[in-house]
């Protein structure tokens, strides 16, 4: 989000509210889960914008709670407005975790979570607990999804209340290996429903 700093002179020069610059982050859509199998953002559907309007789109995830204990939170991309979520992806990820009993603290690259030219759903948070107070929260950004020249880069970071139990800091990055425009994104747990939680979509303007 853009941070605009004013001094006394600049404030006194403002003649109307419309002359104050707006931030670069624009809210587009919020989806709220309630025992939902999937949550999907499809360009042109129900107020969703996922096209050339913005060069960067950012998703914020707030307390996504799985119905099934130990499920991974995942996403996939579509280039046919949500008819299929099967874009080929190559990804990499690493995580840091610390157990509640202080028995183990680890930083590692986890080869079991990445993809190599796969159409599978990509994990963005791992083995989330389904106790009443468990959830996962984080963010995912995708860059220039409407491009018909370049692959579609994305990256995410999540804070995960793991079912083990432990705190996990989970990083993922990669690209959708397609020069077709990506116009829909779907989120789901690897098993069971999204019991509750919110996903907010923002567009980030050119500077």
């Amino acid at each position: 989000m853009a941070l605009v700093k004013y001094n006394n002179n600049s404030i006194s020069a403002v003649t109307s509210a419309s002359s104050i610059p707006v931030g670069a982050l624009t809210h587009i859509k919020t989806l709220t889960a309630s025992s939902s199998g999937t949550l999907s953002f499809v360009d042109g559907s129900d107020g969703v914008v996922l096209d050339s309007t913005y060069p960067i789109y950012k998703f914020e995830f707030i307390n996504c709670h799985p119905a099934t204990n130990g499920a991974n939170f995942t996403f996939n991309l579509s280039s046919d407005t949500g008819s299929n979520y099967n874009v080929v992806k190559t990804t990499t990820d690493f995580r840091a975790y610390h157990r509640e009993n202080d028995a183990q603290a680890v930083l590692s690259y986890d080869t079991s979570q990445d993809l190599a030219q796969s159409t599978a759903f990509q994990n963005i948070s791992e083995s989330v607990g389904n106790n009443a107070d468990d959830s996962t929260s984080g963010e995912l950004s995708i860059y220039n999804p409407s491009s018909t020249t370049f692959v579609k880069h994305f990256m995410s970071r999540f804070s995960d209340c793991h079912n083990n139990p432990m705190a996990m800091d989970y990083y993922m990055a990669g690209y959708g290996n397609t020069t077709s425009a990506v116009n829909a994104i779907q989120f789901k747990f690897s098993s069971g429903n999204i019991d509750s939680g919110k996903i907010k979509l923002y567009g980030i303007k050119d500077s």
Side-chain angles (χ1 to χ4, degrees):
M1 182 176 292
L3 179 64
V4 181
K5 183 179 180 180
Y6 292 101
N7 57 34
N8 288 337
N9 291 333
S10 59
I11 289 294
S12 64
V14 173
T15 58
S16 69
S18 62
S19 64
I20 300 176
V22 297
L25 199 63
T26 302
H27 178 254
I28 297 171
K29 184 74 177 181
T30 298
L31 296 181
T32 301
S34 180
S35 297
S36 306
T38 61
L39 290 179
S40 303
F41 292 82
V42 180
D43 180 52
S45 175
D46 198 22
V48 172
V49 175
L50 195 62
D51 57 18
S52 61
T53 302
Y54 301 97
I56 305 170
Y57 288 87
K58 184 175 183 180
F59 296 87
E60 294 282 351
F61 305 83
I62 304 168
N63 294 131
C64 294
H65 180 264
T68 302
N69 191 44
N72 299 325
F73 198 46
T74 71
F75 85 103
N76 212 334
L77 308 171
S78 173
S79 58
D80 55 13
T81 323
S83 295
N84 299 280
Y85 290 93
N86 60 358
V87 169
V88 172
K89 295 169 295 300
T90 293
T91 63
T92 186
D93 59 81
F94 68 95
R95 71 258 176 92
Y97 63 83
H98 186 197
R99 298 195 188 280
E100 286 186 5
N101 62 8
D102 203 25
Q104 190 178 27
V106 172
L107 173 64
S108 67
Y109 170 51
D110 187 358
T111 59
S112 68
Q113 303 294 320
D114 59 21
L115 300 176
Q117 291 298 94
S118 172
T119 60
F121 275 71
Q122 170 64 44
N123 293 345
I124 48 179
S125 190
E126 180 186 348
S127 300
V128 185
N130 76 335
N131 290 327
D133 62 348
D134 291 341
S135 67
T136 186
S137 298
E139 60 186 33
L140 167 73
S141 296
I142 182 167
Y143 301 88
N144 204 14
S146 65
S147 173
T148 54
T149 302
F150 299 109
V151 298
K152 310 306 182 291
H153 294 279
F154 46 76
M155 61 177 63
S156 66
R157 183 182 185 183
F158 273 74
S159 175
D160 174 359
C161 188
H162 195 280
N163 70 324
N164 208 12
M166 59 186 170
M168 179 174 286
D169 191 2
Y170 193 98
Y171 295 79
M172 182 280 307
Y175 53 84
N177 197 4
T178 179
T179 55
S180 298
V182 165
N183 48 30
I185 300 180
Q186 185 175 90
F187 302 94
K188 66 179 183 178
F189 278 105
S190 57
S191 177
N193 290 335
I194 309 171
D195 184 57
S196 60
K198 289 185 178 181
I199 306 177
K200 304 175 82 69
L201 171 61
Y202 297 88
I204 299 180
K205 299 176 183 177
D206 281 318
S207 59

